[in-house]
Structures are given as structure tokens and as C-alpha cells.
Amino acid sequence: MGRTAGAALALAAALALTTSCDSAGDAVGGAVSSATAAVASAAEQKMDEVKDGVDAKGDVKAGEPRADGDRTVAEITAANPKDKDADYTVMVDFRDGDGKLLDSVVLNIDAVAPGKSKSATARSNRQLSGVTKAEIGRALRH
């Protein structure tokens, strides 16, 4: 968990000790929401660092998420339709059953041969509970 997410959760825990149950629940929910937004923003910034990337969201697919220890993982596959090797930078969004963003991660799939596919594993930054879906938020081929 990043420093921002940890600080937000610590603040929420402190508020929970000094407020009523309803207020504490709201504070914790707000802190988790803020931490999730911070992680998503960091993922977007990482995507923006890719130079000369072209939109390749159609080349990339997310597999079904599954638990792996205390994290959620999903296999991400990039299929290269071009005539030379390509690298992919992919932002994967983990969402709950209602579509609410739970977490975002960025991963690289390097040296995908022309006309071939290659996979990598997206791993959540924190423990996720309940029904979780993995979606491709953004994908760049470079």
C-alpha cells in the first residue's frame, strides 16, 4: 500500500475511534475512496509517461480475476497485429460488481512478436473483497 493510501486509512481509523458508528463508516468509506482515487491518478500518470505510444486497447484482453494470497490477480494478454515486435503498457482497472473502481495497476508486456500474443499478470495493490472484474482502462503499443 502506498504512503497516501496508508495515511488515508490511518486517518480513517483515528476518526472511527472518535466519532459515532455511522460517521465512522462514512469516514472509512471516504478514506478508501480517496486512496483509490490516488492510486488511479498515479496509474494515469504512469501511462502518460509513455512516449510515442498509440492506443492499443483493442489488442489487449483481461482474463477473469482470481485471488492470489491477499491480492487479486488477472492475466492480461496482448495480441500484436503489426509486422514488428511491440511493447505494451497497460492500465488494468479492478472494479466491483457495480462497476465501482477498487484499484488500478499498470503493467508492461514487452517484446510481443508480430502476429503473436503474450501475457502478463496484473496484481492488485491491496486486498480486494467481493466480486471483482478486471478491465483494460488504457493500453498503449510502443
Side-chain angles (χ1 to χ4, degrees), residues 92-126:
V92 180
D93 295 331
F94 290 99
R95 297 186 179 275
D96 69 11
D98 295 327
K100 180 181 171 191
L101 183 65
L102 301 172
D103 199 2
S104 290
V105 298
V106 174
L107 65 103
N108 293 307
I109 304 174
D110 295 326
V112 182
K116 301 289 183 183
S117 296
K118 193 171 181 181
S119 298
T121 301
R123 184 176 177 81
S124 67
N125 294 300
R126 61 184 180 83

Side-chain angles (χ1 to χ4, degrees), residues 28-115:
V28 170
V32 170
S33 227
S34 294
T36 301
V39 168
S41 177
E44 283 288 347
Q45 287 177 347
K46 199 167 195 91
M47 293 297 294
D48 290 342
E49 291 173 6
V50 176
K51 301 297 179 215
D52 300 322
V54 296
D55 180 23
K57 194 170 176 179
D59 296 353
V60 183
K61 304 288 182 232
E64 287 297 316
R66 61 180 172 77
D68 183 25
D70 65 344
R71 300 291 190 259
T72 299
V73 298
E75 184 172 299
I76 308 302
T77 303
N80 181 3
K82 299 300 179 181
D83 58 1
K84 63 180 183 175
D85 281 6
D87 297 330
Y88 289 81
T89 301
V90 183
M91 185 171 84
V92 180
D93 295 331
F94 290 99
R95 297 186 179 275
D96 69 11
D98 295 327
K100 180 181 171 191
L101 183 65
L102 301 172
D103 199 2
S104 290
V105 298
V106 174
L107 65 103
N108 293 307
I109 304 174
D110 295 326
V112 182

Side-chain angles (χ1 to χ4, degrees), residues 6-20 23-24 27-28 31:
L9 290 176
L11 175 62
L15 287 171
L17 295 174
T18 60
T19 59
S20 71
S23 295
V28 170

